[in-house]
Amino acid sequence: MTNEFQKLLEQAKAHLNEIEGKPRVRIGTDLSGLAAGAIDVLNAFKDEASLKALDITISEVGGLGLNYAEPVVDIQMPEGPRVFYNNVTPEQVTDLVKEHLIAGKPVSSWAMAVEEKDPSLDIPTLAELPMMKGQVRIALRNAGHVDPSDIFDYIASGGYSGLNKGLFEMEPADVQEEVAKSGLRGRGGAAFPTATKWRFLMGSPGPIKYILGNCEEGDPGAFNDKGILEGDPHTLLEGMILAGYATGASNGIVFIRHGHDTPINRTREAIKQAYANNLLGTNILGSDFSFDVEVSLVGESYVSGEETALMESVEGKRAMPRYRPPFPAAYGVWGKPSNINNIKTLAYVPEIVSKGGEWFTTIGTEKSKGTAILCLSGTIERPGMIEVPMGMTIREAVEQLGGGVPGGKPVKLLQTGGPLGGVLRGDKMDIPLDFDAMSAAGAILGSGGIIVGDETVCAVDLARLLVAFCQYESCGKCFPCRLGTTHLLQILDRICDFKAQEGDLDLMRKLGNDMQVGSLCGHGQLGFNPIKSSIEYFPDEFSAIIEKKRWPTENYFADFFMPDRAKRNQQTETFASLRRA
């Protein structure tokens, strides 16, 4: 261990002892927490602490992934149990301060869990909660536990030890080899072997090379990239620096969608602190390796997630994919050799380097190693973010961890992998979380979003909504995508308006094939997926609308517009007009 890192560890230990010497309150202020009112709860704790002159530490942390339980607050007294409270309101804060922080007595009736079993409290541990059972947390290991704005909190939890090991105990090729042994594949959707991508960059000459961390994340139903940056931005920075060391890169850019202030601000603060502690910049930790990182923002453009469009956006141009070759490893951002990795992919690297690639292979399946970070939403009992071993079935993730559809109703369908992914029938949920198995089933894991639908969801209109998103987000550069998505939406619109024409389904299949063959990037190549899978798994619903001129799903429109089912058909044209508008 180097002297510089030893000093950082000593500072982190002293900092941790100071924090643990007095009561600590952690409040989840990620996007889900903020949406549930976490800021009001945070301010209430600050006001109470000031009013009663309490010497306590109040920390803003990321989310535990338990979105259904937000706002989540945990309180830990010195030498006492760490107690988690769910769905906390500002009105409860006065009693929590009085009973727990002043009297030292946890409010058991409001408590959700404790970190470790305590004989004095009849409360389950955090690991025993239904949504936490079965999780294996690697990239999310610190989320909800460390203060993302406190670098010493991260270091005290083992942070940057992988970087220290990589810089002083391993050669760049050794780091790349450990990632190769791990079998890590990209978590942004393509599932390309990470070490192979790094190898392309290693072979490109030049004093300036880039590692880009992609957090564009425009998929409806996906929020895990932002979740990592909100809860543990230093794990991304550590992974990015290690990627730079392994490939000989000199610069890193974290690419975040504009307007997502919490991940943007926390990443910028993490970068600032890393520079202040010689973990970024010249001669990191006294080594011969230097690396710089900055944040680049992009506007509301889904196509920006495509790696070459991302580079165009970084350069200040309109986010449109480039023709390839040349590939980014030879000619990337600013014309320099570049590698683009998803945030989740880079977040695994510190633990892989620390524990070795062989350790990572003990988790997951033969071809899909490690874990999957899933975002569960839709008509589901426990929406949130989970990290589970590859190989777990979708059914286990949705029903056991997510609780299934409220009221015990059956799952009718799943939409996986974002708007370019597929629609799966509910009886197909026994597919394992595996890149290849899901692809064979007509779905993709993508960025990890899984949207659950019950019997009220119409598969035809869901496909239309997804295609409408794809059509709106098409950058327009290549005509197979620009015109193809437009024509697909026009056809689905007339089908949903009960004006289908003979051969519409075959026409959509032909358009989809042309888009797959001729489009410049995955946006057009995969744009037919939602329709293709919906036709495959729900042919009766298409038949009901096209041939029988009726909505196939009980109460689909009635629930939204009118209590009298007899008037449903009278409202169809009105709804169609609103949709077209």
mmCIF file of all heavy atoms in Angstrom, residues 207-247:
data_model
loop_
_atom_site.group_PDB
_atom_site.id
_atom_site.type_symbol
_atom_site.label_atom_id
_atom_site.label_comp_id
_atom_site.label_asym_id
_atom_site.label_seq_id
_atom_site.Cartn_x
_atom_site.Cartn_y
_atom_site.Cartn_z
ATOM 1 N N PRO A 207 -1.313 9.926 -27.520
ATOM 2 C CA PRO A 207 -1.169 10.413 -26.140
ATOM 3 C C PRO A 207 -2.497 10.775 -25.489
ATOM 4 O O PRO A 207 -2.594 10.835 -24.270
ATOM 5 C CB PRO A 207 -0.277 11.649 -26.299
ATOM 6 C CG PRO A 207 -0.567 12.140 -27.687
ATOM 7 C CD PRO A 207 -0.801 10.905 -28.504
ATOM 8 N N ILE A 208 -3.523 11.045 -26.300
ATOM 9 C CA ILE A 208 -4.835 11.413 -25.762
ATOM 10 C C ILE A 208 -5.862 10.366 -26.197
ATOM 11 O O ILE A 208 -6.093 10.166 -27.388
ATOM 12 C CB ILE A 208 -5.271 12.806 -26.238
ATOM 13 C CG1 ILE A 208 -4.264 13.865 -25.777
ATOM 14 C CG2 ILE A 208 -6.666 13.140 -25.714
ATOM 15 C CD1 ILE A 208 -4.576 15.261 -26.261
ATOM 16 N N LYS A 209 -6.427 9.682 -25.215
ATOM 17 C CA LYS A 209 -7.489 8.705 -25.468
ATOM 18 C C LYS A 209 -8.553 8.877 -24.380
ATOM 19 O O LYS A 209 -8.257 9.306 -23.269
ATOM 20 C CB LYS A 209 -6.934 7.273 -25.455
ATOM 21 C CG LYS A 209 -5.928 7.011 -26.562
ATOM 22 C CD LYS A 209 -5.653 5.516 -26.770
ATOM 23 C CE LYS A 209 -4.813 4.909 -25.685
ATOM 24 N NZ LYS A 209 -4.408 3.510 -26.025
ATOM 25 N N TYR A 210 -9.787 8.524 -24.735
ATOM 26 C CA TYR A 210 -10.917 8.818 -23.854
ATOM 27 C C TYR A 210 -11.651 7.555 -23.395
ATOM 28 O O TYR A 210 -11.832 6.608 -24.159
ATOM 29 C CB TYR A 210 -11.931 9.718 -24.570
ATOM 30 C CG TYR A 210 -11.503 11.147 -24.721
ATOM 31 C CD1 TYR A 210 -10.770 11.570 -25.826
ATOM 32 C CD2 TYR A 210 -11.842 12.107 -23.761
ATOM 33 C CE1 TYR A 210 -10.376 12.885 -25.978
ATOM 34 C CE2 TYR A 210 -11.463 13.439 -23.902
ATOM 35 C CZ TYR A 210 -10.731 13.823 -25.012
ATOM 36 O OH TYR A 210 -10.359 15.136 -25.167
ATOM 37 N N ILE A 211 -12.086 7.600 -22.125
ATOM 38 C CA ILE A 211 -13.073 6.666 -21.587
ATOM 39 C C ILE A 211 -14.339 7.467 -21.328
ATOM 40 O O ILE A 211 -14.312 8.466 -20.593
ATOM 41 C CB ILE A 211 -12.594 6.014 -20.269
ATOM 42 C CG1 ILE A 211 -11.336 5.189 -20.488
ATOM 43 C CG2 ILE A 211 -13.708 5.158 -19.663
ATOM 44 C CD1 ILE A 211 -11.542 3.942 -21.326
ATOM 45 N N LEU A 212 -15.442 7.067 -21.927
ATOM 46 C CA LEU A 212 -16.708 7.764 -21.740
ATOM 47 C C LEU A 212 -17.663 6.892 -20.944
ATOM 48 O O LEU A 212 -17.888 5.727 -21.289
ATOM 49 C CB LEU A 212 -17.339 8.124 -23.092
ATOM 50 C CG LEU A 212 -16.820 9.385 -23.797
ATOM 51 C CD1 LEU A 212 -15.406 9.178 -24.313
ATOM 52 C CD2 LEU A 212 -17.728 9.761 -24.962
ATOM 53 N N GLY A 213 -18.206 7.449 -19.875
ATOM 54 C CA GLY A 213 -19.218 6.763 -19.082
ATOM 55 C C GLY A 213 -20.599 7.241 -19.488
ATOM 56 O O GLY A 213 -20.925 8.423 -19.355
ATOM 57 N N ASN A 214 -21.406 6.331 -19.999
ATOM 58 C CA ASN A 214 -22.686 6.692 -20.606
ATOM 59 C C ASN A 214 -23.826 6.623 -19.595
ATOM 60 O O ASN A 214 -24.246 5.549 -19.170
ATOM 61 C CB ASN A 214 -22.971 5.750 -21.787
ATOM 62 C CG ASN A 214 -24.202 6.164 -22.577
ATOM 63 O OD1 ASN A 214 -24.918 7.069 -22.205
ATOM 64 N ND2 ASN A 214 -24.429 5.479 -23.683
ATOM 65 N N CYS A 215 -24.338 7.792 -19.204
ATOM 66 C CA CYS A 215 -25.518 7.865 -18.335
ATOM 67 C C CYS A 215 -26.609 8.687 -19.017
ATOM 68 O O CYS A 215 -27.299 9.482 -18.385
ATOM 69 C CB CYS A 215 -25.159 8.467 -16.980
ATOM 70 S SG CYS A 215 -26.505 8.425 -15.773
ATOM 71 N N GLU A 216 -26.748 8.510 -20.336
ATOM 72 C CA GLU A 216 -27.835 9.202 -21.032
ATOM 73 C C GLU A 216 -29.180 8.693 -20.528
ATOM 74 O O GLU A 216 -30.068 9.467 -20.212
ATOM 75 C CB GLU A 216 -27.704 8.980 -22.540
ATOM 76 C CG GLU A 216 -28.570 9.905 -23.379
ATOM 77 C CD GLU A 216 -30.022 9.479 -23.425
ATOM 78 O OE1 GLU A 216 -30.304 8.270 -23.368
ATOM 79 O OE2 GLU A 216 -30.884 10.367 -23.519
ATOM 80 N N GLU A 217 -29.331 7.392 -20.451
ATOM 81 C CA GLU A 217 -30.464 6.699 -19.832
ATOM 82 C C GLU A 217 -31.813 7.374 -20.097
ATOM 83 O O GLU A 217 -32.431 7.964 -19.208
ATOM 84 C CB GLU A 217 -30.246 6.562 -18.325
ATOM 85 C CG GLU A 217 -31.180 5.535 -17.704
ATOM 86 C CD GLU A 217 -30.826 5.245 -16.257
ATOM 87 O OE1 GLU A 217 -30.506 6.184 -15.509
ATOM 88 O OE2 GLU A 217 -30.867 4.078 -15.872
ATOM 89 N N GLY A 218 -32.259 7.281 -21.347
ATOM 90 C CA GLY A 218 -33.547 7.854 -21.696
ATOM 91 C C GLY A 218 -34.664 6.833 -21.773
ATOM 92 O O GLY A 218 -35.793 7.170 -22.134
ATOM 93 N N ASP A 219 -34.382 5.566 -21.419
ATOM 94 C CA ASP A 219 -35.404 4.524 -21.493
ATOM 95 C C ASP A 219 -36.517 4.768 -20.485
ATOM 96 O O ASP A 219 -36.240 4.948 -19.293
ATOM 97 C CB ASP A 219 -34.805 3.148 -21.176
ATOM 98 C CG ASP A 219 -33.795 2.679 -22.199
ATOM 99 O OD1 ASP A 219 -33.127 3.541 -22.782
ATOM 100 O OD2 ASP A 219 -33.678 1.465 -22.395
ATOM 101 N N PRO A 220 -37.767 4.757 -20.905
ATOM 102 C CA PRO A 220 -38.856 4.769 -19.927
ATOM 103 C C PRO A 220 -38.766 3.509 -19.067
ATOM 104 O O PRO A 220 -38.636 2.402 -19.571
ATOM 105 C CB PRO A 220 -40.114 4.733 -20.805
ATOM 106 C CG PRO A 220 -39.672 5.207 -22.156
ATOM 107 C CD PRO A 220 -38.260 4.742 -22.300
ATOM 108 N N GLY A 221 -38.805 3.690 -17.762
ATOM 109 C CA GLY A 221 -38.754 2.535 -16.867
ATOM 110 C C GLY A 221 -37.366 2.142 -16.427
ATOM 111 O O GLY A 221 -37.211 1.163 -15.687
ATOM 112 N N ALA A 222 -36.318 2.856 -16.830
ATOM 113 C CA ALA A 222 -34.950 2.545 -16.396
ATOM 114 C C ALA A 222 -34.376 3.729 -15.638
ATOM 115 O O ALA A 222 -34.417 4.856 -16.119
ATOM 116 C CB ALA A 222 -34.069 2.197 -17.599
ATOM 117 N N PHE A 223 -33.833 3.461 -14.453
ATOM 118 C CA PHE A 223 -33.257 4.533 -13.639
ATOM 119 C C PHE A 223 -32.069 4.025 -12.819
ATOM 120 O O PHE A 223 -31.700 4.615 -11.815
ATOM 121 C CB PHE A 223 -34.324 5.131 -12.697
ATOM 122 C CG PHE A 223 -35.230 4.113 -12.039
ATOM 123 C CD1 PHE A 223 -34.880 3.514 -10.844
ATOM 124 C CD2 PHE A 223 -36.427 3.747 -12.636
ATOM 125 C CE1 PHE A 223 -35.709 2.575 -10.235
ATOM 126 C CE2 PHE A 223 -37.271 2.812 -12.048
ATOM 127 C CZ PHE A 223 -36.915 2.222 -10.834
ATOM 128 N N ASN A 224 -31.449 2.927 -13.269
ATOM 129 C CA ASN A 224 -30.350 2.373 -12.479
ATOM 130 C C ASN A 224 -29.031 3.126 -12.670
ATOM 131 O O ASN A 224 -28.227 3.225 -11.737
ATOM 132 C CB ASN A 224 -30.169 0.879 -12.745
ATOM 133 C CG ASN A 224 -30.348 0.505 -14.201
ATOM 134 O OD1 ASN A 224 -30.053 1.300 -15.098
ATOM 135 N ND2 ASN A 224 -30.812 -0.711 -14.456
ATOM 136 N N ASP A 225 -28.765 3.641 -13.874
ATOM 137 C CA ASP A 225 -27.548 4.437 -14.072
ATOM 138 C C ASP A 225 -27.572 5.670 -13.175
ATOM 139 O O ASP A 225 -26.598 5.990 -12.487
ATOM 140 C CB ASP A 225 -27.409 4.869 -15.535
ATOM 141 C CG ASP A 225 -27.135 3.712 -16.476
ATOM 142 O OD1 ASP A 225 -26.765 2.637 -15.987
ATOM 143 O OD2 ASP A 225 -27.287 3.890 -17.694
ATOM 144 N N LYS A 226 -28.693 6.368 -13.203
ATOM 145 C CA LYS A 226 -28.830 7.547 -12.342
ATOM 146 C C LYS A 226 -28.752 7.139 -10.875
ATOM 147 O O LYS A 226 -28.193 7.860 -10.040
ATOM 148 C CB LYS A 226 -30.145 8.259 -12.634
ATOM 149 C CG LYS A 226 -30.210 8.914 -14.016
ATOM 150 C CD LYS A 226 -31.452 9.748 -14.180
ATOM 151 C CE LYS A 226 -32.694 8.898 -14.365
ATOM 152 N NZ LYS A 226 -32.751 8.237 -15.698
ATOM 153 N N GLY A 227 -29.311 5.968 -10.540
ATOM 154 C CA GLY A 227 -29.286 5.493 -9.162
ATOM 155 C C GLY A 227 -27.871 5.295 -8.649
ATOM 156 O O GLY A 227 -27.573 5.589 -7.482
ATOM 157 N N ILE A 228 -26.977 4.797 -9.510
ATOM 158 C CA ILE A 228 -25.577 4.616 -9.103
ATOM 159 C C ILE A 228 -24.921 5.963 -8.849
ATOM 160 O O ILE A 228 -24.228 6.160 -7.847
ATOM 161 C CB ILE A 228 -24.812 3.813 -10.167
ATOM 162 C CG1 ILE A 228 -25.303 2.359 -10.184
ATOM 163 C CG2 ILE A 228 -23.309 3.855 -9.910
ATOM 164 C CD1 ILE A 228 -24.740 1.532 -11.313
ATOM 165 N N LEU A 229 -25.131 6.914 -9.754
ATOM 166 C CA LEU A 229 -24.516 8.230 -9.586
ATOM 167 C C LEU A 229 -25.101 8.977 -8.395
ATOM 168 O O LEU A 229 -24.400 9.739 -7.728
ATOM 169 C CB LEU A 229 -24.689 9.061 -10.856
ATOM 170 C CG LEU A 229 -24.004 8.521 -12.117
ATOM 171 C CD1 LEU A 229 -24.144 9.523 -13.262
ATOM 172 C CD2 LEU A 229 -22.533 8.219 -11.860
ATOM 173 N N GLU A 230 -26.367 8.769 -8.108
ATOM 174 C CA GLU A 230 -26.990 9.424 -6.957
ATOM 175 C C GLU A 230 -26.484 8.846 -5.641
ATOM 176 O O GLU A 230 -26.318 9.564 -4.663
ATOM 177 C CB GLU A 230 -28.508 9.256 -7.012
ATOM 178 C CG GLU A 230 -29.179 10.044 -8.117
ATOM 179 C CD GLU A 230 -30.623 9.623 -8.317
ATOM 180 O OE1 GLU A 230 -30.965 8.451 -8.059
ATOM 181 O OE2 GLU A 230 -31.418 10.480 -8.736
ATOM 182 N N GLY A 231 -26.241 7.540 -5.625
ATOM 183 C CA GLY A 231 -25.900 6.876 -4.373
ATOM 184 C C GLY A 231 -24.429 6.621 -4.157
ATOM 185 O O GLY A 231 -23.966 6.544 -3.015
ATOM 186 N N ASP A 232 -23.648 6.495 -5.238
ATOM 187 C CA ASP A 232 -22.246 6.096 -5.082
ATOM 188 C C ASP A 232 -21.420 6.511 -6.295
ATOM 189 O O ASP A 232 -20.873 5.664 -7.001
ATOM 190 C CB ASP A 232 -22.181 4.575 -4.887
ATOM 191 C CG ASP A 232 -20.828 4.094 -4.414
ATOM 192 O OD1 ASP A 232 -20.046 4.920 -3.927
ATOM 193 O OD2 ASP A 232 -20.553 2.885 -4.543
ATOM 194 N N PRO A 233 -21.290 7.815 -6.558
ATOM 195 C CA PRO A 233 -20.582 8.255 -7.764
ATOM 196 C C PRO A 233 -19.104 7.887 -7.773
ATOM 197 O O PRO A 233 -18.505 7.754 -8.836
ATOM 198 C CB PRO A 233 -20.775 9.776 -7.768
ATOM 199 C CG PRO A 233 -21.013 10.134 -6.333
ATOM 200 C CD PRO A 233 -21.768 8.971 -5.764
ATOM 201 N N HIS A 234 -18.515 7.704 -6.594
ATOM 202 C CA HIS A 234 -17.085 7.378 -6.555
ATOM 203 C C HIS A 234 -16.803 5.981 -7.109
ATOM 204 O O HIS A 234 -15.709 5.741 -7.622
ATOM 205 C CB HIS A 234 -16.549 7.504 -5.130
ATOM 206 C CG HIS A 234 -16.320 8.914 -4.705
ATOM 207 N ND1 HIS A 234 -15.265 9.671 -5.161
ATOM 208 C CD2 HIS A 234 -17.037 9.725 -3.875
ATOM 209 C CE1 HIS A 234 -15.320 10.878 -4.626
ATOM 210 N NE2 HIS A 234 -16.390 10.941 -3.851
ATOM 211 N N THR A 235 -17.780 5.078 -7.025
ATOM 212 C CA THR A 235 -17.530 3.750 -7.597
ATOM 213 C C THR A 235 -17.437 3.834 -9.115
ATOM 214 O O THR A 235 -16.688 3.080 -9.740
ATOM 215 C CB THR A 235 -18.614 2.745 -7.157
ATOM 216 O OG1 THR A 235 -18.099 1.424 -7.298
ATOM 217 C CG2 THR A 235 -19.901 2.864 -7.970
ATOM 218 N N LEU A 236 -18.170 4.763 -9.731
ATOM 219 C CA LEU A 236 -18.023 4.997 -11.161
ATOM 220 C C LEU A 236 -16.645 5.582 -11.458
ATOM 221 O O LEU A 236 -15.952 5.118 -12.365
ATOM 222 C CB LEU A 236 -19.099 5.946 -11.678
ATOM 223 C CG LEU A 236 -18.784 6.533 -13.061
ATOM 224 C CD1 LEU A 236 -18.897 5.470 -14.128
ATOM 225 C CD2 LEU A 236 -19.643 7.730 -13.370
ATOM 226 N N LEU A 237 -16.240 6.607 -10.701
ATOM 227 C CA LEU A 237 -14.950 7.240 -10.949
ATOM 228 C C LEU A 237 -13.816 6.237 -10.798
ATOM 229 O O LEU A 237 -12.885 6.206 -11.615
ATOM 230 C CB LEU A 237 -14.738 8.417 -9.996
ATOM 231 C CG LEU A 237 -15.681 9.610 -10.153
ATOM 232 C CD1 LEU A 237 -15.277 10.719 -9.196
ATOM 233 C CD2 LEU A 237 -15.693 10.122 -11.586
ATOM 234 N N GLU A 238 -13.887 5.399 -9.771
ATOM 235 C CA GLU A 238 -12.834 4.394 -9.574
ATOM 236 C C GLU A 238 -12.785 3.426 -10.744
ATOM 237 O O GLU A 238 -11.703 3.095 -11.252
ATOM 238 C CB GLU A 238 -13.065 3.644 -8.259
ATOM 239 C CG GLU A 238 -11.932 2.691 -7.922
ATOM 240 C CD GLU A 238 -12.106 2.000 -6.575
ATOM 241 O OE1 GLU A 238 -13.139 2.225 -5.909
ATOM 242 O OE2 GLU A 238 -11.200 1.229 -6.197
ATOM 243 N N GLY A 239 -13.950 2.974 -11.200
ATOM 244 C CA GLY A 239 -13.992 2.089 -12.353
ATOM 245 C C GLY A 239 -13.497 2.755 -13.622
ATOM 246 O O GLY A 239 -12.804 2.144 -14.442
ATOM 247 N N MET A 240 -13.817 4.028 -13.785
ATOM 248 C CA MET A 240 -13.386 4.767 -14.966
ATOM 249 C C MET A 240 -11.868 4.965 -14.972
ATOM 250 O O MET A 240 -11.209 4.828 -16.019
ATOM 251 C CB MET A 240 -14.123 6.103 -15.020
ATOM 252 C CG MET A 240 -13.811 6.944 -16.234
ATOM 253 S SD MET A 240 -14.850 8.435 -16.329
ATOM 254 C CE MET A 240 -16.347 7.739 -17.011
ATOM 255 N N ILE A 241 -11.303 5.280 -13.809
ATOM 256 C CA ILE A 241 -9.848 5.456 -13.729
ATOM 257 C C ILE A 241 -9.140 4.140 -14.037
ATOM 258 O O ILE A 241 -8.126 4.109 -14.752
ATOM 259 C CB ILE A 241 -9.443 5.986 -12.341
ATOM 260 C CG1 ILE A 241 -10.098 7.336 -12.062
ATOM 261 C CG2 ILE A 241 -7.918 6.130 -12.248
ATOM 262 C CD1 ILE A 241 -10.023 7.770 -10.601
ATOM 263 N N LEU A 242 -9.659 3.043 -13.499
ATOM 264 C CA LEU A 242 -9.066 1.733 -13.780
ATOM 265 C C LEU A 242 -9.169 1.383 -15.262
ATOM 266 O O LEU A 242 -8.238 0.813 -15.843
ATOM 267 C CB LEU A 242 -9.742 0.658 -12.932
ATOM 268 C CG LEU A 242 -9.304 0.612 -11.460
ATOM 269 C CD1 LEU A 242 -10.287 -0.200 -10.627
ATOM 270 C CD2 LEU A 242 -7.899 0.031 -11.344
ATOM 271 N N ALA A 243 -10.294 1.735 -15.886
ATOM 272 C CA ALA A 243 -10.433 1.508 -17.325
ATOM 273 C C ALA A 243 -9.420 2.337 -18.091
ATOM 274 O O ALA A 243 -8.820 1.879 -19.079
ATOM 275 C CB ALA A 243 -11.857 1.852 -17.778
ATOM 276 N N GLY A 244 -9.205 3.586 -17.646
ATOM 277 C CA GLY A 244 -8.203 4.425 -18.282
ATOM 278 C C GLY A 244 -6.806 3.861 -18.128
ATOM 279 O O GLY A 244 -6.012 3.863 -19.083
ATOM 280 N N TYR A 245 -6.496 3.360 -16.932
ATOM 281 C CA TYR A 245 -5.178 2.755 -16.684
ATOM 282 C C TYR A 245 -4.966 1.530 -17.558
ATOM 283 O O TYR A 245 -3.906 1.343 -18.156
ATOM 284 C CB TYR A 245 -5.076 2.389 -15.203
ATOM 285 C CG TYR A 245 -3.789 1.705 -14.823
ATOM 286 C CD1 TYR A 245 -2.566 2.373 -14.862
ATOM 287 C CD2 TYR A 245 -3.798 0.375 -14.394
ATOM 288 C CE1 TYR A 245 -1.384 1.735 -14.495
ATOM 289 C CE2 TYR A 245 -2.626 -0.269 -14.017
ATOM 290 C CZ TYR A 245 -1.417 0.419 -14.081
ATOM 291 O OH TYR A 245 -0.251 -0.217 -13.717
ATOM 292 N N ALA A 246 -6.000 0.680 -17.662
ATOM 293 C CA ALA A 246 -5.872 -0.562 -18.433
ATOM 294 C C ALA A 246 -5.701 -0.298 -19.918
ATOM 295 O O ALA A 246 -5.032 -1.069 -20.616
ATOM 296 C CB ALA A 246 -7.104 -1.438 -18.199
ATOM 297 N N THR A 247 -6.277 0.773 -20.425
ATOM 298 C CA THR A 247 -6.267 1.035 -21.869
ATOM 299 C C THR A 247 -5.283 2.125 -22.283
ATOM 300 O O THR A 247 -5.139 2.405 -23.475
ATOM 301 C CB THR A 247 -7.671 1.452 -22.337
ATOM 302 O OG1 THR A 247 -8.069 2.639 -21.639
ATOM 303 C CG2 THR A 247 -8.689 0.341 -22.089
#
